[in-house]
Amino acid sequence: MRPILLKGHERSLTYVSYNYDGDLLFTASKDNLPTVWNAETGERIGTYNGHQGAVWDMDCNKSSSRLLTASADATCKLWNTETGDELKSFPHRGPVRGVAWAEGSDEFATISDPFMENDALISIYSVPEKSPVESYNLTPRLEIELPKENIIKATNVVFLGLNSSLFVTFDDGSIRLYDVKTGSVLNTIHPHQKKINRVSFNKEKTLFITGSADFTAKLFDAVRLEHLKTYKTDRPVNDAVISPTKEHILLGGGQEAMSVTTTSGRAGKFETKFFHLVYEEEFGIVKGHFGPINAIAINPDGRSYASGAEDGYVRLHFFDKSYLDMEDPVPEGELVEPTN
Amino acid sequence: MTNAMAEDLADYMSDNELVVEPKLPKLDESFGCTVVISNLPKVPQPKHDKLKSVVLKICNKVGTVDVRDEVAPLMPSGEDGKSFGFLFITFKSSADATKCEEAVNGYQFDKNHKINVVKYDEVKKLKTVADTYEEESASPYEPSPDTSWWLRDPSQRDAFCIRYGNETEVHWADGSREPVLDHDGGDKKASGVQWCNYYMEWSSRGSIMATILPAKGVITWGGPNYKKLKRFSHVDVETVQFSPEEGYMMTTSFKNDIKDAIKIWNTKTGKLLRAFPLFPSESFKEKDAEKPPPFLWSHNDEYIARMGEDLISIYELPSMKLLEKKSLLANGIAEFQWSPAQNILAYWAPEKGNAPAHIQLVEIPSRKHLRQKNLFQVSKVNMSWHDQGKFLGCKVLRHTKTKKTVYNNFELFRVHEDGIPVEILEIKDAVFNFRWEPQGTRFAMVHAENRSATRASVSFYDMNKEVTHTERRGPKGSKKQVTVTQTVSELNLVSTLKDRQCNSLYWSPAGNIIVMASLGDTSSGSLEFFDVNTCTTMAVREHYRATEVSWDPSGRILSTSVLQPLTGGYFKFQMDNGYMLWSFQGKQLKTVAFQNFFQFAWRPRKNLLGEEKRSEIKANLKKYYEEFDRRDKEKARALYLEETRGKRELRSKFRDRVEVLRAGYDANREQRKQMNDGYDSEDEDMYVIQTANVETVLKTDEFLVES
């Protein structure tokens, strides 16, 4: 497996994702330029120019027409994916950590960090694609204040249940479900001891996996919020994804950037780890990065994946035939008793 | 004004009579400071005061007696004026009363009277005792757990214990398959029992597991579920050591100022046999405050001994009385060691006045001096016994007269031969490590030009030499020649390996295989697996930053670990914690990582087969090999089935769950389609594949074609 090295960003990567069809790869980094790449060839198609701070998160809608970016410059921007035109900029009162489209792409939600005297917020904006951009209201349709005690920060936001609830993860290891209409908390679980770095869902949004600083990734039933599996590693997990075609999990992580210098390069463990979804067993690693992996995305067709790391590179990997042909370690079909 | 305040005030302003409840101190009805002293002589009236004053004198030594009138010593007497033989005494504090109870109780007052001291509160309890004695029903007999069950493991596996985070787990390993969890203390956790929060220790033969809880003491566990066997209470305990036959154990607290810092126990009954202070004498404490001289067990649980000043105190077990009531004199002793196979002590003493430095071998209990070896210009001696007590190796660090240069030589005692001959081996290099081969006659050492050298040499020596010579046999004049191989006692160099990254040596318990490791801060953690018989390197491996290496008792598996200490200065060792298992050939079997890893300990196992049986097995190895191979295959197959059965179950359970979720998702398809403006992303027909042909002219050439 020879990866394509995507050298476009000048600073460490924060997020990588494929669009719904899997032909575009979006990457965000601490430099101010979110970038879109051809997911097949690794060719850089263009950048979205306008942000003045690190870009923490982005989300492309299902039809790939519009792109949202969340930035530390306290704005969330709406872009025309194809032309790269900035359609609208939504000012916030603190760095914007995460952004997510609602089903149907008429609304989106952002999470912002507390800043100065302003509290952390979840905001929902209405941006129907059919209405003219000029008519979009810059004040959110709904604002939910996050609990002020202990100053916990939100790390991810996702719409769930046909836009009925908002799923938000926090840096104290908890997950909350909010009602989209009223902003009240529907459910709270506390699956991790430390920060949940990233959460990612399968295509159907029926399963999700959390990557946490407590060295584990955990798989959940997204409908009932039930914990199903735990994948243990020896490093903080920065991102984890579920393979769409195989019963596999991909994990990326590494020591926190601040403590990397205390680790020897070869023991840095900056690899992508492959786990079996069901048996929770690690069965492979892909090396290459020389900094902790911050973000992983797997193509919806399951044939390639991209990883972005603290070292500023995105590595686009296409799986070998041997991986694609790999069968489950336990034979399918009925158990054959020994005949002796 | 709120209503409540108004009510309060109304009460205050009312004309009702004041009810005053004075806050008087509560009457102290306890008699905690009072003790009853009994078994005193019964004396007539005139001698009452004399007796009282004698008793008071004794009591005043342990505390202050309250002599106010209302509590003055009271000695009841009969009508004839003769006292009943007991006396009440009240101290100023209850602590003094307790002290009196401890110290004065059992005091030999005179020839016929040994006095008893009991607290008055205790005496009061006697009033409530029923007059008739009711026999307590005997508790049903509970057999103590079988502590040798693990030796009968049908798969002949070895066990090891790991301590990480807050967990303590015992695993099985046999070198060919994945280690299997035996016990993780789940039952103890469920019942809220903390079973280990410090280090654990296996007993010398592995039957018992001891866990240390520094706040309380040591607990021993045994049997298939690691049931609690005994508790040994010892506050601030840090280490526990078992005697070689497991009959006794020793717990040590390194708190300098307590008088029972070292306790010797009977392992089975849990009875405290004797306690000692950390240092044998005050002067010792000043001389070498850091390291107290250790108590050492003799090989068969008969004695335990500790070095004192110019002597060795040998105690007999289980009485813990000094052997023949006197210590063994050992002038100038610096260190001693028991032979691991006989009751022989070896000690060495540095030069002192006119007496030369010497190494001495003493037989116990006869105290016969078996061998003395005098040495000159000695800086330090390190003694090391061979496992079966056949040899004693002494590494002697010597200096020249000016004390400027130092050099090593080895004094090798052949303990099992008549007269105990000593061989001398001189080494110019600095020697780091010296190890006898278990079950053999060889030893290995690491040496380098100087202490700071990064590359070292490893040399192997054999205490015996195989000599072959030809002999004429048969009738005189016959030319028949026979080659005879003889083993003679002669030290010889087997081989020297140069330029190695190595500072520690680990012989396999089975002998022959040795692992040369470089451990510690500045080292890489390289491991070289070496076969000494054939002098070949089998593998060179690495466990980065490894701090510890150990063999399982059978020599099948080597473990290497990166540990962090449980107390103090741990930040240096926080990275890469975990352990690796290797086959004796250097094949990596298992890698496990932990965030905080503290201890890795193989369960020791005594070799149950005698020398004869072992050589018989060696001779018929082929037969055994086939048998074991067949069994191994069967087991592997059974295990595979077992594992896949579990995995199949997990898999089908998981797939069912995904199926249900998928069905729920599909049920919402119509709704989703509406939300997406009638676009159904799951409908394959919605995808339109357009093929676009783009023609690019790369190059145009014009040329004439002749027709």
Side-chain angles (χ1 to χ4, degrees):
Chain A
M1 185 160 65
R2 277 199 59 163
I4 303 176
L5 207 56
L6 308 186
K7 295 182 230 179
H9 288 290
E10 287 174 357
R11 293 199 53 201
S12 48
L13 272 292
T14 55
Y15 187 63
V16 297
S17 78
Y18 286 92
N19 65 342
Y20 189 79
D21 299 320
D23 58 343
L24 298 176
L25 177 70
F26 295 97
T27 59
S29 110
K30 285 184 188 166
D31 64 23
N32 311 339
L33 299 173
T35 306
V36 59
W37 313 78
N38 182 327
E40 201 58 40
T41 63
E43 187 189 349
R44 183 160 75 166
I45 300 171
T47 55
Y48 299 93
N49 306 347
H51 274 300
Q52 274 149 21
V55 180
W56 292 119
D57 196 12
M58 53 207 302
D59 197 15
C60 180
N61 67 351
K62 222 169 204 175
S63 59
S64 302
S65 60
R66 300 171 132 201
L67 178 74
L68 285 165
T69 53
S71 165
D73 65 5
T75 62
C76 170
K77 290 184 194 292
L78 177 67
W79 310 84
N80 179 322
T81 313
E82 195 179 347
T83 63
D85 293 333
E86 182 183 324
L87 300 177
K88 200 86 181 172
S89 181
F90 298 86
H92 284 64
R93 276 165 286 175
V96 191
R97 275 284 155 181
V99 61
W101 283 108
E103 186 80 45
S105 312
D106 284 343
E107 286 193 332
F108 72 88
T110 62
I111 45 173
S112 54
D113 282 350
F115 185 67
M116 309 288 280
E117 70 278 11
N118 300 314
D119 294 325
L121 286 174
I122 304 174
S123 321
I124 301 178
Y125 295 86
S126 186
V127 286
E129 199 165 358
K130 276 180 244 160
S131 330
V133 174
E134 295 74 36
S135 68
Y136 292 165
N137 199 342
L138 289 182
T139 49
R141 170 177 81 70
L142 177 73
E143 270 189 356
I144 306 169
E145 280 190 17
L146 292 178
K148 272 172 253 180
E149 75 276 12
N150 310 329
I151 324 173
I152 58 168
K153 290 180 190 168
T155 52
N156 290 276
V157 60
V158 178
F159 277 93
L160 276 190
L162 298 168
N163 297 347
S164 66
S165 55
L166 260 185
F167 171 99
V168 184
T169 63
F170 292 91
D171 65 355
D172 65 345
S174 64
I175 297 174
R176 288 192 172 84
L177 267 191
Y178 290 91
D179 187 311
V180 167
K181 293 210 170 62
T182 64
S184 57
V185 179
L186 298 173
N187 199 352
T188 306
I189 55 172
H190 206 127
H192 286 286
Q193 301 301 316
K194 289 186 181 167
K195 181 182 177 185
I196 298 178
N197 285 318
R198 273 287 170 193
V199 62
S200 67
F201 284 75
N202 64 348
K203 194 172 148 193
E204 291 88 24
K205 285 192 179 172
T206 52
L207 295 172
F208 69 88
I209 184 164
T210 55
S212 162
D214 68 4
F215 292 18
T216 64
K218 289 183 176 173
L219 184 77
F220 292 83
D221 176 332
V223 178
R224 275 169 277 184
L225 289 192
E226 272 174 24
H227 172 232
L228 299 177
K229 301 281 172 191
T230 302
Y231 311 94
K232 287 185 193 155
T233 74
D234 52 356
R235 286 292 181 274
V237 182
N238 290 339
D239 202 355
V241 289
I242 307 166
S243 166
T245 48
K246 286 185 173 293
E247 287 170 329
H248 292 167
I249 293 288
L250 279 68
L251 299 183
Q255 216 50 34
E256 273 176 64
M258 56 178 279
S259 43
V260 162
T261 47
T262 64
T263 324
S264 78
R266 57 182 163 177
K269 326 242 167 141
F270 307 133
E271 309 103 353
T272 307
K273 286 174 183 277
F274 285 68
F275 278 78
H276 195 280
L277 182 69
V278 183
Y279 316 138
E280 304 170 341
E281 284 168 0
E282 182 185 333
F283 65 90
I285 55 169
V286 174
K287 293 184 184 183
H289 282 292
F290 48 91
I293 294 176
N294 289 335
I296 289 191
I298 187 159
N299 195 307
D301 67 7
R303 303 175 78 84
S304 61
Y305 85 94
S307 57
E310 195 69 24
D311 59 16
Y313 291 113
V314 176
R315 294 173 82 89
L316 182 58
H317 306 78
F318 294 88
F319 290 119
D320 293 334
K321 192 170 181 303
S322 61
Y323 172 83
L324 296 171
D325 291 347
M326 197 171 118
E327 283 178 13
D328 202 276
V330 178
E332 304 283 344
E334 284 306 302
L335 182 73
V336 187
E337 288 295 337
T339 48
N340 270 335
Chain B
M1 200 190 278
T2 61
N3 275 345
M5 272 173 82
E7 268 169 39
D8 276 359
L9 268 179
D11 202 30
Y12 179 73
M13 311 281 268
S14 77
D15 296 331
N16 291 348
E17 209 170 305
L18 269 177
V19 185
V20 182
E21 274 184 48
K23 279 186 182 164
L24 293 174
K26 225 182 152 195
L27 185 64
D28 184 5
E29 290 177 338
S30 74
F31 285 92
C33 303
T34 306
V35 295
V36 182
I37 298 184
S38 57
N39 208 17
L40 290 167
K42 291 172 184 170
V43 293
Q45 186 73 44
K47 284 191 173 173
H48 275 197
D49 284 340
K50 179 97 189 284
L51 179 61
K52 268 190 202 170
S53 68
V54 173
V55 175
L56 271 177
K57 213 168 152 192
I58 297 168
C59 291
N60 266 324
K61 277 183 191 159
V62 291
T64 329
V65 175
D66 202 339
V67 287
R68 283 175 296 155
D69 282 348
E70 58 268 34
V71 290
L74 177 68
M75 186 154 68
S77 52
E79 278 173 17
D80 56 350
K82 212 173 176 188
S83 70
F84 289 134
F86 62 91
L87 178 59
F88 297 93
I89 284 192
T90 305
F91 284 91
K92 283 246 164 92
S93 72
S94 61
D96 281 348
T98 312
K99 230 156 73 186
C100 175
E101 194 183 9
E102 280 168 6
V104 183
N105 195 16
Y107 181 82
Q108 197 75 41
F109 189 74
D110 59 23
K111 215 169 107 195
N112 300 323
H113 297 91
K114 201 177 190 179
I115 57 179
N116 268 329
V117 182
V118 186
K119 281 202 167 179
Y120 182 66
D121 285 342
E122 291 293 313
V123 177
K124 270 205 299 192
K125 277 186 203 159
L126 292 176
K127 263 173 86 176
T128 58
V129 174
D131 283 343
T132 50
Y133 171 66
E134 267 176 55
E135 203 169 327
E136 257 182 71
S137 57
S139 52
Y141 169 68
E142 252 182 64
S144 53
D146 174 11
T147 53
S148 59
W149 65 281
W150 59 284
L151 287 171
R152 293 189 297 272
D153 177 51
S155 322
Q156 293 93 22
R157 294 173 294 184
D158 274 306
F160 62 85
C161 181
I162 48 171
R163 286 269 304 111
Y164 67 92
N166 294 322
E167 307 293 322
T168 308
E169 290 175 359
V170 181
H171 292 259
W172 288 111
D174 66 356
S176 57
R177 288 178 294 273
E178 284 275 296
V180 182
L181 180 72
D182 173 28
H183 189 75
D184 61 359
D187 53 338
K188 281 133 205 135
K189 266 184 265 170
S191 59
V193 178
Q194 194 174 30
W195 78 313
C196 187
N197 60 8
Y198 200 61
Y199 289 104
M200 60 73 59
E201 185 82 34
W202 290 107
S203 64
S204 322
R205 288 182 174 182
S207 3
I208 299 168
M209 176 178 177
T211 57
I212 303 175
L213 297 105
K216 291 172 186 157
V218 171
I219 305 178
T220 51
W221 313 83
N225 283 316
Y226 298 86
K227 288 241 162 55
K228 189 190 273 186
L229 301 175
K230 283 279 174 294
R231 285 176 50 174
F232 303 85
S233 119
H234 191 167
V235 177
D236 292 328
V237 58
E238 278 182 58
T239 62
V240 52
Q241 276 162 303
F242 285 85
S243 64
E245 308 256 332
E246 308 184 332
Y248 309 97
M249 52 190 266
M250 170 167 68
T251 57
T252 311
S253 149
F254 288 95
K255 284 253 163 90
N256 215 334
D257 48 350
I258 37 178
K259 61 177 187 290
D260 49 359
I262 300 171
K263 293 182 179 178
I264 316 281
W265 311 80
N266 182 319
T267 312
K268 275 236 170 77
T269 63
K271 195 182 149 204
L272 176 66
L273 301 177
R274 195 166 168 179
F276 295 91
L278 206 50
F279 288 91
S281 62
E282 283 299 314
S283 59
F284 229 98
K285 214 185 227 169
E286 285 149 27
K287 201 166 79 186
D288 191 358
E290 274 173 39
K291 250 185 153 179
F295 271 100
L296 300 172
W297 308 95
S298 73
H299 78 285
N300 57 357
D301 277 16
E302 263 183 77
Y303 310 106
I304 185 166
R306 173 162 78 166
M307 175 179 96
E309 218 160 338
D310 293 331
L311 52 83
I312 302 172
S313 305
I314 305 167
Y315 301 91
E316 277 180 293
L317 286 162
S319 68
M320 281 310 286
K321 294 229 167 78
L322 206 53
L323 179 67
E324 289 161 15
K325 293 187 180 161
K326 56 177 194 282
S327 294
L328 175 73
L329 289 182
N331 213 357
I333 178 171
E335 192 205 345
F336 82 95
Q337 296 279 341
W338 284 100
S339 157
Q342 281 163 286
N343 279 334
I344 296 178
L345 278 173
Y347 71 85
W348 76 275
E351 275 159 275
K352 194 177 177 187
N354 280 336
H358 55 280
I359 298 166
Q360 187 77 259
L361 290 180
V362 187
E363 190 184 65
I364 302 295
S366 67
R367 306 191 184 214
K368 202 168 104 191
H369 285 211
L370 298 176
R371 185 78 162 87
Q372 176 167 352
K373 172 88 198 211
N374 289 339
L375 301 159
F376 298 92
Q377 293 157 14
V378 172
S379 300
K380 193 172 169 27
V381 176
N382 289 345
M383 296 185 295
S384 165
W385 278 95
H386 178 261
D387 267 9
Q388 279 95 45
K390 283 185 207 161
F391 313 109
L392 171 69
C394 298
K395 188 186 102 180
V396 184
L397 188 66
R398 306 178 68 170
H399 50 81
T400 52
K401 278 208 173 120
T402 55
K403 295 202 175 182
K404 268 186 186 148
T405 46
V406 291
Y407 60 102
N408 284 296
N409 76 328
F410 282 86
E411 307 282 333
L412 303 158
F413 292 74
R414 295 179 185 274
V415 182
H416 282 191
E417 284 173 35
D418 285 344
I420 312 188
V422 181
E423 291 212 42
I424 299 168
L425 175 67
E426 294 225 4
I427 302 279
K428 283 271 170 297
D429 286 357
V431 177
F432 305 126
N433 213 315
F434 169 84
R435 289 278 178 272
W436 288 103
E437 177 187 22
Q439 328 272 352
T441 56
R442 291 176 288 204
F443 64 87
M445 66 168 105
V446 187
H447 53 98
E449 255 177 41
N450 55 58
R451 287 237 141 237
S452 52
T454 50
R455 295 265 162 181
S457 305
V458 181
S459 292
F460 299 94
Y461 288 87
D462 197 335
M463 292 295 283
N464 293 341
K465 192 176 186 180
E466 303 252 296
V467 186
T468 53
H469 59 102
T470 50
E471 239 175 46
R472 270 167 212 256
R473 286 259 174 97
K476 217 175 174 186
S478 139
K479 295 208 169 156
K480 196 179 171 192
Q481 284 193 337
V482 185
T483 315
V484 182
T485 312
Q486 256 187 323
T487 309
V488 293
S489 297
E490 191 187 318
L491 180 69
N492 68 100
L493 179 68
V494 178
S495 89
T496 297
L497 310 170
K498 289 227 163 74
D499 203 24
R500 289 300 202 274
Q501 239 188 14
C502 164
N503 56 22
S504 316
L505 298 169
Y506 298 91
W507 282 100
S508 153
N512 186 28
I513 310 289
I514 192 167
V515 170
M516 302 178 253
S518 77
L519 309 179
D521 269 358
T522 51
S523 309
S524 62
S526 76
L527 308 161
E528 182 173 348
F529 293 76
F530 190 78
D531 182 324
V532 184
N533 279 356
T534 58
C535 281
T536 46
T537 298
M538 295 189 293
V540 180
R541 300 280 180 262
E542 185 191 283
H543 185 177
Y544 186 65
R545 296 187 76 102
T547 56
E548 210 177 86
V549 173
S550 55
W551 281 96
D552 76 332
S554 57
R556 286 180 290 187
I557 313 169
L558 180 87
S559 70
T560 56
S561 337
V562 180
L563 304 171
Q564 58 171 285
L566 263 163
T567 44
Y570 51 83
F571 71 98
K572 198 160 74 180
F573 306 99
Q574 267 184 336
M575 303 300 296
D576 312 298
N577 276 204
Y579 70 87
M580 287 192 194
L581 299 182
W582 313 81
S583 78
F584 70 94
Q585 291 143 316
K587 195 178 109 193
Q588 190 179 324
L589 302 172
K590 178 95 182 159
T591 309
V592 182
F594 295 110
Q595 205 171 348
N596 300 301
F597 190 43
F598 304 118
Q599 195 179 12
F600 185 105
W602 285 104
R603 187 171 207 164
R605 188 160 51 84
K606 202 193 166 197
N607 209 328
L608 297 170
L609 300 178
E611 194 86 38
E612 277 172 37
K613 182 74 182 165
R614 255 180 289 162
S615 48
E616 187 249 297
I617 292 174
K618 267 183 194 159
N620 299 316
L621 204 58
K622 213 162 194 181
K623 193 183 90 195
Y624 286 100
Y625 174 79
E626 278 167 14
E627 167 68 14
F628 277 101
D629 203 37
R630 191 181 57 75
R631 273 205 254 165
D632 271 355
K633 273 185 188 148
E634 256 172 43
K635 250 181 276 167
R637 170 102 185 119
L639 188 79
Y640 174 73
L641 283 172
E642 190 57 44
E643 267 184 12
T644 55
R645 186 176 291 124
K647 282 185 176 174
R648 272 165 207 272
E649 238 167 67
L650 279 177
R651 185 172 62 189
S652 62
K653 214 174 122 194
F654 189 86
R655 285 183 180 168
D656 288 348
R657 162 86 74 148
V658 171
E659 208 52 52
V660 171
L661 287 170
R662 174 86 209 181
Y665 175 77
D666 286 342
N668 293 332
R669 185 167 170 177
E670 203 47 47
Q671 247 177 302
R672 213 167 21 248
K673 190 172 159 187
Q674 270 173 16
M675 286 179 135
N676 282 304
D677 243 354
Y679 173 79
D680 187 355
S681 57
E682 279 123 85
D683 189 349
E684 291 294 326
D685 294 340
M686 295 299 286
Y687 283 88
V688 183
I689 299 174
Q690 287 179 343
T691 319
N693 288 327
V694 182
E695 271 183 38
T696 314
V697 182
L698 293 175
K699 197 178 173 189
T700 320
D701 272 346
E702 264 183 45
F703 50 89
L704 288 170
V705 183
E706 285 180 37
S707 55

